[in-house]
Structures are given as C-alpha cells and as structure tokens.
Amino acid sequence: MPRIKAMTTGSVPSFLDVILNFAESDTVSSMESQDTWLSQLKAKRDGRLVLYGDDTWLKLFPNMFSRADGTSSFFVSDFTEVDLNVTRNVPKELERDDWNGMILHYLGLDHIGHKSGPHRYT
C-alpha cells in the first residue's frame, strides 16, 4: 500500500501508511479524494480506468475503476494466481477502446522474493 500511494501521488508514504498496510479491513486509507494521476485521468472527459491484479488498488481507490478484477495479495506463497488473472484479461481489454488508463499489477516475482529471500538460488 505505501508504494502504491507513493507511485500515484508522488509523495513519500508516512509511518501510519506502513502500519495500516497490515490491516486488511482498513478503509481509513482510501485515496479517493486525494490528487493522484488516477483521479486526473478519470476527471478527463469520458475518463475510464481499468485494473487487473492486486486488490489493494481497489481498497485504496474505491469507485475509481470502470472495470476491475482484483485478487488478494496476501497469499505470498502463490506465485501465479494473480499474474494469470492479470494476463487473461489483457487481450480483451486491448480490443476495447472505452478506457484511457489500464493498470496491470503483476505480483508473482514480488511474492517469490518474499517467500524465498534474496539468497535463494532456485
């Protein structure tokens, strides 16, 4: 969550953001009313955004996406489910022209790093 906030606002996350990152039911940290590049894209005429991947985006930005298919990122031992969910949606979205921004959040590599650590060779 802190990294997504930093990427979308251009600001450094606070210590509270790090703490709230562990509260899966957290609704306080919604960024719906903050100035982000997502809100700027959506504010444009016919501004539509789509998201596939980590459901943290949906928690941070409720009502931001016209279409979305989020998958929980808290199953760190899963290296493929979120990524397959993202990939299976790409072809149909590329055929559509009713969106101006698409977020594809792949998590497999990140999960491998958390599970195996930096010194694992396989």
Side-chain angles (χ1 to χ4, degrees):
M1 177 177 62
R3 290 181 183 148
I4 293 174
K5 282 187 173 186
M7 287 188 317
T8 57
T9 63
S11 64
V12 178
S14 70
F15 180 70
L16 181 60
D17 292 327
V18 175
I19 298 297
L20 291 174
N21 188 44
F22 295 104
E24 189 170 0
S25 62
D26 170 43
T27 56
V28 176
S29 49
S30 168
M31 297 189 52
E32 195 168 20
S33 63
Q34 294 187 26
D35 183 25
T36 64
W37 57 265
L38 291 171
S39 61
Q40 292 177 18
L41 276 173
K42 187 171 180 174
K44 291 185 178 226
R45 187 175 151 213
D46 297 326
R48 291 188 184 95
L49 303 169
V50 294
L51 164 83
Y52 298 100
D54 186 350
D55 67 352
T56 303
W57 290 85
L58 299 173
K59 294 173 187 170
L60 286 174
F61 301 100
N63 307 311
M64 182 67 71
F65 302 100
S66 299
R67 282 185 303 282
D69 192 0
T71 307
S72 176
S73 62
F74 283 97
F75 299 109
V76 178
S77 61
D78 171 33
F79 304 142
T80 57
E81 181 182 344
V82 176
D83 292 356
L84 291 174
N85 185 51
V86 172
T87 302
R88 75 178 170 83
N89 286 291
V90 172
K92 71 179 178 188
E93 283 300 338
L94 292 177
E95 291 176 3
R96 299 177 82 154
D97 64 354
D98 64 342
W99 51 267
N100 10 12
M102 177 169 48
I103 296 173
L104 306 172
H105 189 150
Y106 287 88
L107 282 168
L109 185 60
D110 183 40
H111 285 185
I112 290 171
H114 288 293
K115 180 77 173 172
S116 302
H119 303 294
R120 176 134 180 170
Y121 297 107
T122 58

